[in-house]
Amino acid sequence: METAEHIKHLAREGQLLADAAEQAGSDAEVRSCPGWTVRDLLRHTGMVHRWATAFVADGHTSYRPGGGEPDLDGAALLDWYREGHDLLVAALSGAPDSLECWTFLPAPSPPAFWARRQAHETTVHRVDAESALGLVAGRSPVAPELAADGIDELLCGFHGRDKSRVRTDPPGALRVRTTDTDDVWTVTLSADAPRTTRTADGPAECELTGPAEALYLSLWNRLPAGTPAVTVTGDDRLARLWRETSAVTW
C-alpha cells in the first residue's frame, strides 16, 4: 500500500475510534483487552499518536520515550485524543519523502513506516473501542487490502525481530492464507525468532485460512480462539503457540 492510502485509513480509523469511545463512555470495559476501560484505551492510543508525531514533525533520529499518559477523563480526554490524532494525520500528510527520523521496522522511508504503523495501531484499537459497545458482527469492517497489509507488518515486521517470543522446539511451519486477497505467508517457527516468507513453498504443519480481516484480527488476538471465520488445519499446537506468545506490548 502507498503512504497516502495508509494516511487515509489512519484518518478514518481514528475518527471511528473516537466516535465509538464517545458512545461507550470512559468507564466501559474494552472486551478485547481484558482489564482495560475506554479511558485506558484513549490514554494509551492518544499517547502513542503524540509519540509518533514527534518523530515525524521534529525529525528525531534516535529513540525517544513517549510523553506519558494524561490524567484526563470524560470529554476532556476525548478532546485530547482527537487533537492528537489530528496532529498525527497532519504531520504525516505534510512530511516530505526525504524526511529522516527514527523508525523500528524496515520500510521504504520513515514517513512510509510511520503512516503504516499508525494506521494499524489505530485500526486495531478502533476494533477495541467498538468492542466496548459490544460490537462483533456489527463492527466497522477492515478493508481486505488493509487487513492483508497489517498481517504482513505483523508477520514480517514485528515477528521478524529477534525480540519475538514466538518460539518452539520441536520446530514447525505455520501458513497463513487469505481467501479474499492473493496473499499467503509461511512462518517458520523454531527455538530461534520466527522467519516469514511471502510464499506457500514447502510443507506446513498448520494452516490458518480465512478472509483477510478475520485473519488480521485473529493474529492480533482480537477474535476469540476457534472463531468460525478462520479455518485451522493440521497441528493446532502452532496456532495455540501463536495465541499464547505473540502479543506485542508497548
Side-chain angles (χ1 to χ4, degrees):
M1 294 180 67
E2 297 296 325
T3 300
E5 294 178 274
H6 283 125
I7 296 172
K8 179 180 177 180
H9 285 295
L10 167 62
R12 175 181 181 274
E13 296 291 336
Q15 292 168 1
L16 288 173
L17 191 161
D19 292 344
E22 183 174 26
Q23 186 176 347
S26 294
D27 292 328
E29 294 182 3
V30 178
R31 302 184 185 188
S32 54
C33 294
W36 267 22
T37 63
V38 166
R39 178 185 303 105
D40 300 316
L41 178 64
L42 285 173
R43 289 174 177 175
H44 167 77
T45 311
M47 180 270 292
V48 172
H49 283 171
R50 281 170 162 75
W51 176 72
T53 299
F55 290 106
V56 176
D58 300 331
H60 299 309
T61 56
S62 60
Y63 170 78
R64 296 192 176 201
E69 298 179 4
D71 186 20
L72 295 173
D73 203 354
L77 175 59
L78 192 62
D79 288 344
W80 176 84
Y81 165 81
R82 290 186 189 274
E83 178 187 55
H85 173 248
D86 288 345
L87 289 171
L88 175 59
V89 171
L92 285 166
S93 298
D97 293 338
S98 59
L99 173 70
E100 295 293 334
C101 68
W102 180 81
T103 62
F104 60 89
L105 295 177
S109 69
F113 163 79
W114 284 111
R116 185 192 205 195
R117 175 79 290 278
Q118 291 308 303
H120 293 299
E121 175 82 13
T122 307
T123 299
V124 170
H125 286 319
R126 181 270 295 169
V127 172
D128 292 333
E130 291 186 345
S131 81
L133 293 170
L135 297 182
V136 179
R139 67 170 171 262
S140 304
V142 180
E145 62 274 13
L146 178 65
D149 181 75
I151 295 169
D152 190 81
E153 185 203 40
L154 183 63
L155 299 181
C156 299
F158 278 105
H159 291 287
R161 302 183 296 174
D162 289 340
K163 66 191 300 182
S164 173
R165 297 183 301 112
V166 186
R167 299 171 187 245
T168 180
D169 190 11
L174 175 66
R175 183 156 293 143
V176 178
R177 188 189 305 271
T178 63
T179 55
D180 52 353
T181 69
D182 296 325
D183 295 292
V184 60
W185 300 263
T186 300
V187 187
T188 301
L189 301 173
S190 68
D192 298 321
R195 293 293 176 260
T196 299
T197 59
R198 299 179 180 93
T199 67
D201 295 340
E205 285 73 19
C206 180
E207 180 164 320
L208 306 180
T209 307
E213 177 184 24
L215 287 169
Y216 177 58
L217 297 179
S218 180
L219 290 167
W220 273 105
N221 294 327
R222 261 49 185 198
L223 288 180
T227 180
V230 175
T231 300
V232 181
T233 55
D235 183 3
D236 69 355
R237 173 184 70 90
L238 298 181
R240 285 186 281 107
L241 173 74
W242 181 273
R243 181 166 291 275
E244 293 166 2
T245 62
S246 66
V248 175
T249 58
W250 172 253

